[in-house]
């Protein structure tokens, strides 16, 4: 099983939403989605995990690596609605990664980001009418 992703851009904020399970077989696809976000946005990226069923240690490490990649681009990474017990495997000297209870809380922290301006998604991204994955 792999992940599906959707990336939306608001003014000075990106939201990268994941669906599925972020395991070892999905890390390459996740890394590609992060690359998409790096190339098409500015400001911090909120990683929306509302539709993520879970993640492996390898998936968590990929998230920590994404935080490093974004920091190298002068951007930050924030997490919304992390799965399971709410833990993220630390990588030592990585940047601080703010964690929000859910996507609404993350967006509220960026009140001035504005409305969605543009969106991209993988082919099998679940429809908005079916929030359960």
């Amino acid at each position: 099983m792999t992940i599906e992703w959707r990336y939306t851009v608001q003014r000075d904020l990106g939201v990268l939403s994941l669906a599925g399970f972020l395991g070892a077989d999905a890390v390459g696809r996740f890394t590609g989605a992060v690359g998409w976000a790096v190339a098409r946005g500015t400001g911090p990226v909120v990683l929306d995990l509302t539709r993520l069923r879970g993640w492996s240690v390898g998936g968590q490490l990929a998230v920590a690596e994404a935080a490093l990649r974004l920091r190298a681009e002068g951007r930050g990474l924030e997490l919304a609605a992390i799965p399971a017990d709410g833990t993220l495997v630390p990588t030592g000297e990585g940047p601080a990664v703010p964690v929000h209870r859910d996507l609404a809380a993350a967006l509220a922290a960026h009140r001035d980001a504005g409305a969605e301006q543009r969106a991209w998604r993988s082919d099998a991204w679940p429809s908005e009418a079916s929030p359960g994955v």
Side-chain angles (χ1 to χ4, degrees), residues 67-84:
L68 290 170
R69 182 175 181 188
L70 286 162
R71 181 176 69 177
E73 296 292 327
R75 300 173 70 186
L77 179 69
E78 301 179 19
L79 303 180
I82 62 176

Side-chain angles (χ1 to χ4, degrees), residues 4-19 30 32-48 70 75-77 116-122 125 128:
E4 297 300 328
W5 61 268
R6 179 176 188 258
Y7 181 65
T8 58
V9 174
Q10 299 176 4
R11 185 183 63 221
D12 299 324
L13 178 69
V15 177
L16 178 58
S17 301
L18 300 182
F30 171 70
V34 171
W36 191 271
V38 167
R40 288 166 180 81
T42 62
V45 172
V46 173
L47 184 58
D48 173 23
L70 286 162
R75 300 173 70 186
L77 179 69
E116 179 181 306
Q117 296 176 348
R118 186 141 187 217
W120 300 266
R121 63 181 174 79
S122 56
W125 176 254
E128 298 305 316

Side-chain angles (χ1 to χ4, degrees), residues 107-119:
L107 294 175
H110 298 278
R111 289 185 289 254
D112 298 330
E116 179 181 306
Q117 296 176 348
R118 186 141 187 217

